[in-house]
Amino acid sequence: MHSLKHRFPLFLLLTLLSFISCSASKTEQKAYGPDTDYFIGLTYLEEGRIEEAARKFEACSKKGTYYCARKSAEELCKIGDLQQKNKAVLNLIENYKDSQTLLIAARQLWNSREINKLIEISENLDFSKEKDETIRLRLLAMQARCDSRLKDEVYTWFTACPLSEQHFTFYRDNWPHPDFSDEDAVFTPQEFAINYRIELYRRNYTWTFNNCPIILEYFENKELHLSEQLASDIGKSYLYGSPQFLKNAQYFKAFANSYKGTKLEYYFWFYAGRFYDKAGNYYSSAKNCFAQAMNCANTESQKDDAIWYLLEISRNYNIESLISSIQEYSRLWNKASNFDSFFERLITPLLLSGKRESFYELYSKLDGYASDEVIGQYAYIYGRLCQEGYADGDEAAIKAAFNRALKSGSNIYYKLLAAYELKLSPEEISSLIASFGIYQAKEINPAAEILLKGYADFGFPQYIYENYNLLSREGISSKTAFYLAEFLQKCASSNIAYYPQSLRIASRAGFNSQEKLTKEELMLIYPKDYSDLIEAECSKYNMKDSLMYALVRSESFFDAEIVSSAGATGLTQLMQLTAQDIAKRLKITDYSLTDPAINLEFGTWYLNNLYERLDKSYLHAFYSYNAGINSLRKWLKGSIIDFGAKQKMPNDIFLETIPYAETREYGRKLVSATVMYEYLYNDNFAEILQHIIK
């Protein structure tokens, strides 16, 4: 059953989904009113009844609610002869004036070679905000028409925003350019600037640094306008292309003074600070530059970036200076969550440097300024350090810290551990877990919900995930999102691609829920997909199946065909070399890691093998699975020595001393997921946490 990959014919899907009807009952059709025509039109399309589908789409485009009418209008752009399609796209952009419809129209008009019409509908685009593909198609049309404005518009597009693959493709395949390595090549300032940006996009920092004098000369001679994007590019070229950090710092400081009062001033102060920091032993100079950048920032994001580096250089200087800086700048930053990564990076140095009392000072004084996630995290660590005798704090202080950790935003890991330490009752734990996603209520968009629920009620799972992603910010209730997630999970019996789609929708719904979650909703966030395979494999090794569910959920989100950039494959994200070794041990010669049965067999054997080799520690087995057993042993030895523990450390404190933030977060996810699976399906909370953390 789990090896099925392709969508079943609609009639067969319906037999598997007992609670749904593709044709929809008369009651359901009546409930959807004119929108029913859109969904029936989709059915006719699948059956090859094109003319009938077109009539249904035409009817819904005139009388349906906003999104169903819009989708109907989009479908009409795909039906009929060239003239009919062109007429449909022009009607579409007349009624729905936004970037998405403009892109649909641009694609159609380009394919039909309606060059003049494409240029006409795409006039006056904001190149810094419009979709890059739309701009690329406009420029191709202008090139085909030999439009005199082409060069200026190409230059604007290449200098108004960060480059994308669309820029690179256009430059490589469609834009004539000289060989800039040829000393005799003749080029205009604009051509050179465009090529400069392309080389920066390709990370050819040596070339861009060496050619900065040419770019700067163009600016000084007023042959080019120095835009914010180019100012940032020049800073990046010097940062990654030249090791002369002190010289560069002084150079950019002079630039900052030259452009005082302009938007460019920020970039030069910011990069001057980066150079002073890299030069070493120039803390005061770096601090002054970042402070200047903060004061002349053009946006809130730029200001937060400058503050982040002000804190980062203080971290490299000394702990006392850092804490003072945090208290000073926390009152000035705009978005607290922008600094979560900074505080995460700070935990291990604080623990290993012996500055453990700082956790209390930071969590108590930053409450209301740093994010709830950070405050809860620091409060929990402080409480545990006190319990273990590594920090001073009486029972009242410890209890207060754990209670604060219960309010740690969306970070369920510290909530679960704090609940365990506080010995909350089963009822209190249930309430805590059900509330972890509660946020301020948002306005619901009924038309968007009609479209998404209609896909489920009329039996079109293939349209749900993409459209949910497009519309989730438009106001989709958590109730509707969970309805969609449940539907997709049932559809996964015919197409396993719906497993991860269901989980991603449910997870987002839980995170943004406006009310307490039910147990059934939580089970969609922590599903038992592939239960027959996982439980059979765990049974072989007498392993808790919650471990494997947690592992698969965290590693792949139950996506059987996912392959990471490093080559890790399938549900349990096994590397090929690891899989080869496991296959030899299991005496299997022919296998595919995208086969769920094989992948789960290999992954379960491997996790159990690590568990047995590491004194039956779940957490240590998880870390070894992720980073290798040798890395785990090195971290254990190093943390015990640096931390000052006599023999061993509690696992929750050890987790915080691992030198890599990504690896620490991996451990938190695995622990949280294991506990949630045990809680939801086995009513086991305290016992599993005791086994993992202590």
Side-chain angles (χ1 to χ4, degrees), residues 204-462:
N204 188 359
Y205 299 121
T206 301
W207 191 94
T208 56
F209 168 71
N210 289 333
N211 285 278
C212 272
I214 297 176
I215 286 286
L216 292 169
E217 185 179 353
Y218 288 144
F219 298 143
E220 291 170 6
N221 295 337
K222 309 297 184 184
E223 295 177 89
L224 289 178
H225 170 68
L226 181 54
S227 66
E228 290 184 71
Q229 186 64 62
L230 284 167
S232 177
D233 287 348
I234 292 169
K236 191 178 294 184
S237 294
Y238 273 81
L239 186 65
Y240 299 116
S242 168
Q244 300 180 24
F245 300 124
L246 181 58
K247 179 181 177 180
N248 295 341
Q250 295 166 343
Y251 190 41
F252 273 69
K253 187 175 178 180
F255 258 126
N257 288 316
S258 298
Y259 284 88
K260 193 172 184 64
T262 71
K263 288 186 175 183
L264 304 182
E265 182 184 1
Y266 166 83
Y267 297 95
F268 294 123
W269 281 123
F270 180 81
Y271 278 105
R274 297 287 305 274
F275 294 131
Y276 274 124
D277 179 38
K278 282 187 169 291
N281 299 319
Y282 289 92
Y283 172 73
S284 296
S285 296
K287 180 178 180 181
N288 176 65
C289 290
F290 286 126
Q292 294 277 11
M294 178 186 71
N295 292 330
C296 68
N298 306 304
T299 65
E300 291 183 351
S301 176
Q302 287 182 350
K303 183 177 181 180
D304 282 356
D305 284 345
I307 293 174
W308 196 96
Y309 275 98
L310 278 166
L311 298 180
E312 183 66 11
I313 62 173
S314 297
R315 185 176 80 86
N316 294 334
Y317 192 60
N318 61 61
I319 295 297
E320 289 74 18
S321 172
L322 171 62
I323 293 175
S324 175
S325 295
I326 290 173
Q327 292 173 349
E328 176 185 357
Y329 294 118
S330 64
R331 275 64 175 169
L332 300 176
W333 63 47
N334 294 288
K335 189 175 181 181
S337 61
N338 285 342
F339 298 87
D340 286 1
S341 63
F342 169 81
F343 285 107
E344 171 63 31
R345 282 158 49 90
L346 182 59
I347 290 173
T348 301
L350 286 178
L351 286 172
L352 299 184
S353 67
K355 302 292 184 180
R356 295 154 195 167
E357 300 294 340
S358 301
F359 284 96
Y360 174 75
E361 188 173 359
L362 288 169
Y363 108 72
S364 59
K365 292 184 179 179
L366 288 178
D367 206 351
Y369 297 97
S371 70
D372 275 341
E373 284 78 6
V374 166
I375 299 302
Q377 184 178 28
Y378 274 59
Y380 175 80
I381 293 171
Y382 168 71
R384 287 290 291 123
L385 290 173
C386 291
Q387 284 185 329
E388 296 293 332
Y390 296 115
D392 294 330
D394 57 21
E395 287 299 319
I398 294 171
K399 185 176 181 180
F402 289 145
N403 274 306
R404 182 61 185 87
L406 292 179
K407 304 173 184 178
S408 56
S410 62
N411 197 328
I412 193 172
Y413 171 79
Y414 292 103
K415 288 185 176 185
L416 294 174
L417 268 61
Y420 171 81
E421 297 296 344
L422 290 167
K423 297 179 173 57
L424 296 188
S425 69
E427 293 75 21
E428 290 172 317
I429 291 170
S430 294
S431 178
L432 174 74
I433 290 173
S435 304
F436 81 85
I438 292 181
Y439 285 81
Q440 185 175 359
K442 60 183 177 182
E443 187 175 350
I444 303 304
N445 187 326
E449 293 211 324
I450 286 171
L451 176 71
L452 293 172
K453 290 184 72 175
Y455 286 137
D457 288 343
F458 286 84
F460 292 100
Q462 69 271 35

Side-chain angles (χ1 to χ4, degrees), residues 38 66-75 451 455 467 470:
Y38 168 62
Y66 179 83
Y67 288 104
C68 288
R70 176 178 175 145
K71 284 291 181 181
S72 294
E74 290 178 8
E75 289 296 334
L451 176 71
Y455 286 137
N467 284 285
L470 290 172

